[in-house]
Amino acid sequence: MSQRIRTLIVDDERYSREELKYLLKHHPALEIVGEADSGEQAVLKTLQLKPEAVFLDVEMPLMNGLEAASALIGLKLPPKIVFATAYPQFGVEAFRFEALDYLLKPIDEERLAETVRRLEQSLRKDEIAVPLPAKSCGKLSLEADGEIAFIAPDDIIYISREDAYSKIVTANKEYHVKTPLKELEAKLRQYPFFRIHKSYVVHLDYVKSLVPWFNGAFQLELKGCSDKLAVSRNYAKAFRDALEL
């Protein structure tokens, strides 16, 4: 690769950040562009610094690493995610967020070197891949209410998860589909959708106003529908920053 890989380190413990930073500095392919001590800060600094790779702890207060990863993969230019944690039990769930790797502390240097090689290979493949247009001209194809529905992504105001179904809301109609929210979020990655809650993903173009609620949370008013959605405190700051960019 012609340039070094812009890398963000996220861990709520300063000693752990320092140790990982020391290990990563032995790999000239990486350039450490910043650090964060929480999941919320991870999302904010990713928006600001645009790293290509994020080394992410799992157990953190408020927004944990898995919640942060969910927000990161929903960005227009998502970074590669490498989890670095002392907890092996989250490994299976972590790969649901398209994690490149899952490192266990204390981090083995040879294991880390293999991760860096995989990171280089993954980004190299992205560079040589045929670039996609900023927005696909196609439609979202889904089985809804016993028939196949074709929905233009820019017609979607928001998507919510309710029990075993996802509800897709447009200005004219609601669709109830069995497709999980995370899968829909991944399909719509080229479009300006943002997760505001574990159960809600919204199209940024339909945001009307944010109304302070309680305990640092907000209610979101949207153009084209009367529904008011809860913006989780864990996502609130990153969401506000996304709207300001």
Side-chain angles (χ1 to χ4, degrees):
M1 296 178 63
S2 58
Q3 295 182 337
R4 299 171 71 193
I5 300 169
R6 295 172 58 81
T7 304
L8 176 68
I9 296 173
V10 184
D11 199 303
D12 63 322
E13 296 183 1
R14 184 179 64 84
Y15 175 78
S16 294
R17 294 198 305 272
E18 291 296 326
E19 182 178 26
L20 183 54
K21 184 163 59 174
Y22 172 79
L23 292 172
L24 292 179
K25 282 187 175 179
H26 287 80
H27 297 275
L30 305 183
E31 177 189 4
I32 299 170
V33 296
E35 300 177 32
D37 60 7
S38 68
E40 185 179 83
Q41 278 291 311
V43 178
L44 175 60
K45 292 206 172 185
T46 298
L47 288 166
Q48 293 173 336
L49 302 173
K50 296 179 172 54
E52 297 162 291
V54 175
F55 282 74
L56 184 62
D57 190 18
V58 174
E59 281 292 336
M60 294 183 288
L62 296 179
M63 180 187 279
N64 64 33
L66 298 175
E67 292 171 326
S70 178
L72 292 177
I73 66 173
L75 298 178
K76 187 175 182 180
L77 295 174
K80 305 294 183 184
I81 296 173
V82 176
F83 285 98
T85 178
Y87 301 90
Q89 65 266 33
F90 298 109
V92 174
E93 188 174 0
F95 285 103
R96 291 174 53 204
F97 301 103
E98 304 175 24
L100 182 83
D101 212 339
Y102 193 91
L103 300 174
L104 289 176
K105 300 175 184 177
I107 296 173
D108 178 79
E109 293 186 32
E110 291 186 6
R111 181 75 174 79
L112 179 60
E114 176 59 28
T115 298
V116 173
R117 283 194 293 271
R118 292 182 60 198
L119 185 57
E120 289 183 275
Q121 291 170 358
S122 179
L123 288 170
R124 189 177 295 114
K125 287 179 182 178
D126 289 350
E127 285 182 353
I128 64 176
V130 177
L132 294 171
K135 288 190 177 182
S136 169
C137 59
K139 294 187 178 183
L140 193 63
S141 173
L142 295 167
E143 184 177 349
D145 304 319
E147 59 183 31
I148 302 299
F150 295 92
I151 309 170
D154 281 331
D155 288 344
I156 298 172
I157 300 174
Y158 76 90
I159 308 171
S160 66
R161 188 66 180 174
E162 300 178 353
D163 299 323
Y165 290 86
S166 295
K167 181 174 74 171
I168 300 173
V169 177
T170 71
N172 301 315
K173 189 173 180 179
E174 294 183 2
Y175 302 86
H176 294 83
V177 301
K178 292 184 178 180
T179 310
L181 187 60
K182 292 184 187 302
E183 185 176 330
L184 292 171
E185 191 176 16
K187 288 182 177 181
L188 295 166
R189 190 176 302 161
Q190 296 178 61
Y191 294 83
F193 286 87
F194 199 93
R195 183 179 286 271
I196 61 168
H197 186 278
K198 66 179 182 180
S199 300
Y200 298 120
V201 175
V202 303
H203 195 305
L204 295 179
D205 289 350
Y206 289 95
V207 172
K208 182 179 180 181
S209 63
L210 274 174
V211 180
W213 203 10
F214 64 91
N215 291 336
F218 290 83
Q219 275 195 327
L220 176 64
E221 296 182 352
L222 297 162
K223 303 171 188 174
C225 77
S226 59
D227 298 341
K228 292 184 179 180
L229 307 183
V231 181
S232 167
R233 180 179 62 180
N234 293 342
Y235 294 90
K237 190 174 190 322
F239 179 54
R240 294 174 66 184
D241 291 326
L243 292 173
E244 292 172 1
L245 291 177

